[in-house]
Amino acid sequence: MTDRKEGNSSISVLSPQKVLDLYYLDTRWHILEIGAMLDRMQRGEIAHPDDEASRTDLRAELLREALQILASDSREPDRAERLLTLFTKLDRNHE
Amino acid sequence: MFIIQPHYHAIARTAQDYERMAQSGVLCVAEPAFWAGFDRKYPETFIDYFRQITEFEPTRAAQYGITHYAWVAVNPKEAENPELSRMVLEKMPEFFEKPNVLGVGETGLHLSSKNECDIFEAQVQLAVDYDQLLLIHTPHLHDKLYGTKKILEILDGFPNLKPEKVWIDHIEEHTIRPVREKGYWTGFTLYPITKCTATRACDMLEMYGWDRMLINSSADWGPSDPFTLQEAVLEFRRRGHSLQEATEIFFNNPARYLGQNPKFKFKPIRIEEER
């Protein structure tokens, strides 16, 4: 089986197997970093029980929503777009 | 800030590393014997390799004011050739006499096969018999958990082995607890993608403290970067930890561990005044 085929446009794309071959380790690394960051937040919450600010911080909520986007099935390959759209909620001009 | 780089494969690196390390506070490197990227066929090839890291590399490092130490061992990948491995093991005691050799390393496991386990055990015995420090490599990625448990099981069979002389390297979050419980030195290897990162290493330092902890960047012939060590110093300091605390981890701990071999000349240092 060839590694590349034409996708929706006339430009060829990698096979899913090839994507795994090329990006599995990178993605594993990124996921570990995310897990470690969430652990760091949790340890901080335990050590600083009076820190109310983080509980209402929009960024924490956005990260939780972003993880749901990552875990969800998607009909279209549009996760990156949906994530970026989500993060625009931090933009002061966002309505 | 002064730094000791306790796990550095100089043979695979250029002089520019030495120059930049010297410019950024590294006073000393320790070079374990490792896999060269291909399996060697002859015991003599190992012997020449040991000569290179015990005779030539110290002269190269010295040009940049860096003191170079070394370890000798048969790595787990090449332990799959037991006949060759045993011939090399016979020669290793000669290298223990060299002025810059600190012990047996890096031995350990890769796929945890029977041959690997046999040759690892033989090298643990060698370290015990010759009262050498022992640096142990734990497997990569998905093989790490089983391999680390297996290593600990094998070490349990050596009642005369002193835990304070043993450094188990490439530890991550899922393997740290049993190593700490046994009292061995714990090593974090900062390595792009496949091992530990500066942020996660700092997390584990905060969770477990830094008694018997060693941080290294394991610079080798693959995608690796000796300056991940400085990255870890920066990450640790930006979290608000003091210069003395950073010095404990990145200089004093390796000085304490490696200093168990009297050939190692660097002693722990104390910052007189923090600003």
Side-chain angles (χ1 to χ4, degrees):
Chain A
M1 190 170 69
T2 175
D3 286 337
R4 302 189 68 91
K5 260 186 187 170
E6 285 185 6
N8 291 337
S9 70
S10 59
I11 300 169
S12 66
V13 298
L14 294 172
S15 70
Q17 184 62 53
K18 192 66 184 172
V19 171
L20 272 176
D21 292 346
L22 284 179
Y23 299 106
Y24 170 76
L25 285 179
D26 269 337
T27 309
R28 176 187 186 274
W29 172 70
H30 287 303
I31 289 173
L32 276 172
E33 287 297 310
I34 292 168
M37 187 274 182
L38 295 175
D39 287 345
R40 204 173 301 137
M41 281 275 288
Q42 197 172 348
R43 285 189 292 115
E45 285 165 6
I46 294 166
H48 301 272
D50 300 333
D51 180 5
E52 293 291 334
S54 68
R55 293 195 180 89
T56 53
D57 192 317
L58 178 59
R59 292 173 299 175
E61 188 188 319
L62 292 181
L63 288 177
R64 278 192 292 272
E65 283 184 44
L67 292 171
Q68 284 170 5
I69 291 175
L70 289 179
S72 66
D73 287 330
S74 188
R75 283 186 187 175
E76 299 293 325
D78 62 353
R79 291 178 186 81
E81 181 185 339
R82 285 159 62 201
L83 288 168
L84 285 167
T85 306
L86 172 72
F87 291 129
T88 58
K89 286 185 182 174
L90 276 176
D91 185 338
R92 271 174 289 184
N93 299 312
H94 181 77
E95 291 176 5
Chain B
M1 181 182 147
F2 293 132
I3 292 171
I4 292 172
Q5 166 63 279
H7 188 148
Y8 179 77
H9 297 296
I11 188 171
R13 312 292 301 186
T14 67
Q16 191 187 28
D17 262 16
Y18 277 132
E19 186 179 31
R20 291 172 62 210
M21 284 195 293
Q23 288 167 347
S24 59
V26 174
L27 300 186
C28 159
V29 299
E31 175 161 16
F34 80 142
W35 187 59
F38 74 106
D39 294 339
R40 286 161 275 214
K41 278 188 176 177
Y42 315 102
E44 291 82 1
T45 320
F46 275 88
I47 305 310
D48 272 344
Y49 170 46
F50 293 165
R51 285 183 49 240
Q52 184 169 4
I53 63 175
T54 59
E55 295 171 15
F56 171 67
E57 276 304 329
T59 65
R60 203 161 74 105
Q63 291 175 47
Y64 301 91
I66 291 176
T67 305
H68 178 283
Y69 293 94
W71 307 71
V72 289
V74 174
N75 63 82
K77 280 197 176 207
E78 286 166 297
E80 276 304 337
N81 184 341
E83 193 183 341
L84 176 142
S85 298
R86 292 197 185 279
M87 285 193 272
V88 177
L89 262 56
E90 268 178 35
K91 288 283 184 186
M92 277 167 49
E94 291 173 26
F95 286 89
F96 298 155
E97 302 298 319
K98 296 272 187 184
N100 73 329
V101 172
L102 299 173
V104 175
E106 52 186 312
T107 176
L109 298 179
H110 174 57
L111 297 176
S112 305
S113 68
K114 185 180 181 311
N115 283 338
E116 285 183 21
C117 291
D118 289 347
I119 297 302
F120 171 54
E121 277 192 59
Q123 294 188 89
V124 177
Q125 188 62 58
L126 209 50
V128 171
D129 292 346
Y130 287 85
D131 196 24
Q132 295 292 307
L133 294 175
L134 179 63
L135 166 52
I136 299 172
H137 163 99
T138 56
H140 302 278
L141 298 168
H142 48 269
D143 298 316
K144 187 182 292 294
L145 184 60
Y146 176 80
T148 306
K149 284 179 184 167
K150 188 77 192 163
I151 283 167
L152 294 174
E153 216 177 277
I154 290 171
L155 293 180
D156 282 345
F158 288 86
N160 295 330
L161 183 68
K162 298 172 186 159
E164 67 271 21
K165 292 215 156 189
V166 178
W167 161 14
I168 303 188
D169 209 9
H170 319 319
I171 290 301
E172 292 181 272
E173 289 87 340
H174 60 325
T175 52
I176 187 169
R177 281 196 195 91
V179 172
R180 306 293 293 161
E181 282 164 13
K182 298 275 184 187
Y184 301 122
W185 283 77
T186 306
F188 302 141
T189 306
L190 309 173
Y191 212 67
I193 312 296
T194 55
K195 291 193 178 105
C196 192
T197 58
T199 48
R200 287 168 51 216
C202 290
D203 289 340
M204 286 188 276
L205 288 169
E206 289 176 342
M207 291 163 73
Y208 296 93
W210 39 86
D211 179 43
R212 293 194 184 187
M213 293 283 205
L214 294 166
I215 319 285
N216 60 83
S217 65
S218 190
D220 58 32
W221 46 261
S224 53
D225 178 2
F227 295 92
T228 50
L229 202 50
Q230 283 82 347
E231 196 185 305
V233 174
L234 181 61
E235 174 64 21
F236 187 72
R237 292 279 280 139
R238 81 174 186 155
R239 295 184 183 197
H241 300 294
S242 71
L243 183 58
Q244 182 62 49
E245 288 173 319
T247 300
E248 292 299 329
I249 295 160
F250 297 94
F251 190 92
N252 290 352
N253 272 1
R256 288 181 185 111
Y257 173 72
L258 300 172
Q260 294 179 88
N261 186 317
K263 293 176 203 166
F264 191 81
K265 69 178 184 182
F266 295 93
K267 306 288 180 212
I269 52 177
R270 181 95 209 146
I271 310 297
E272 286 197 358
E273 190 178 355
E274 289 233 18
R275 290 177 188 273

